[in-house]
Amino acid sequence: MNSRGHSLFPAIVLILLAGVSVWLDRITRQDETVKVDKSLHEPDFTADKLTLRRYDLSGKTQYILVADRMIHYGDDESTELIRPRLDYLNRPEPVRMESDFATVSKDGETVVLIDNVFLKRAAQPDKPEATLRTERMTVWPDDERMRSDAPVTLTQGKTVIAAERMESDNIVGNIRLQGLVRGTLYRNTPTPKP
């Protein structure tokens, strides 16, 4: 009988070791699913002095987005930008857009500029500098389209136009002003032909 107890001893020790191993594994294992509290809207990461470059199919820089700070929220995949500046460079007339604040959609295709929105198109030999001011502007950077449902003020040289709303397509080159539109238009004096 004593020899039988000695033969079961290694099996009992192995069973105890296996049980202790399973128990230790269970108490030390962390929950593999991270539970996100959807009621909390807290940033999951931030970045300071952000610079993002977008290239066209030929490899030229299409635009550069710079912001003092970027804040990303994991609960809804939204992004906020503090003091964003967007420069369109791959065009004959460089354009700069800036504002105090902006939000970026989850897919990155829509940017909403908020507070002190300012756009400037550089002067060209045949065109004076043009600017636009508003408090809110939705921009689709890749399509070079924008829309404002807030009042806008456009200037080009001495010409000043104010409107209640605006839509623009920079690729096609048209601007549609809507609502009450008023302004003062100045024509360039044509150069006399010999």
Side-chain angles (χ1 to χ4, degrees):
M1 183 130 179
N2 196 6
S3 68
R4 185 172 177 184
H6 285 297
S7 64
L8 289 176
F9 181 73
I12 292 171
V13 170
L14 285 174
I15 290 170
L16 283 173
L17 281 174
V20 169
S21 296
V22 169
W23 176 75
L24 283 173
D25 181 54
R26 287 189 182 182
I27 66 167
T28 59
R29 184 183 306 172
Q30 292 188 356
D31 189 10
E32 293 176 7
T33 60
V34 177
K35 295 179 182 173
V36 177
D37 185 358
K38 296 288 185 182
S39 66
L40 297 177
H41 187 63
E42 295 180 354
D44 58 351
F45 69 88
T46 63
D48 291 328
K49 307 296 181 196
L50 171 77
T51 301
L52 172 75
R53 295 176 190 276
R54 169 73 182 212
Y55 298 94
D56 66 12
L57 295 174
S58 68
K60 292 181 182 175
T61 303
Q62 182 179 1
Y63 64 80
I64 299 173
L65 173 65
V66 176
D68 290 353
R69 184 171 180 84
M70 180 191 78
I71 305 164
H72 183 269
Y73 297 91
D75 62 332
D76 63 356
E77 295 296 321
S78 65
T79 303
E80 295 176 351
L81 301 173
I82 309 299
R83 299 261 321 123
R85 282 129 8 240
L86 182 65
D87 289 310
Y88 283 102
L89 303 174
N90 191 10
R91 52 187 308 117
E93 307 144 342
V95 174
R96 167 169 273 202
M97 298 179 188
E98 57 186 55
S99 67
D100 291 343
F101 182 78
T103 60
V104 182
S105 64
K106 179 179 178 178
D107 57 11
E109 293 183 10
T110 305
V111 177
V112 179
L113 302 170
I114 303 166
D115 295 334
N116 297 315
V117 179
F118 179 70
L119 284 74
K120 181 173 86 169
R121 187 197 71 212
Q124 294 295 306
D126 58 337
K127 294 181 190 175
E129 176 183 278
T131 65
L132 181 145
R133 292 182 186 276
T134 187
E135 287 302 308
R136 186 176 182 92
M137 175 79 67
T138 303
V139 180
W140 293 270
D142 293 340
D143 298 334
E144 295 191 36
R145 291 184 307 115
M146 53 191 161
R147 181 180 67 223
S148 178
D149 292 327
V152 297
T153 302
L154 295 117
T155 63
Q156 183 172 339
K158 294 180 187 179
T159 297
V160 179
I161 301 173
E164 292 178 347
R165 296 178 305 282
M166 182 210 79
E167 290 183 16
S168 173
D169 185 331
N170 289 340
I171 293 174
V172 174
N174 67 13
I175 296 174
R176 185 169 36 169
L177 303 172
Q178 301 169 334
L180 178 62
V181 178
R182 60 194 179 283
T184 306
L185 301 173
Y186 286 88
R187 293 182 61 174
N188 291 340
T189 53
T191 307
K193 296 183 181 180

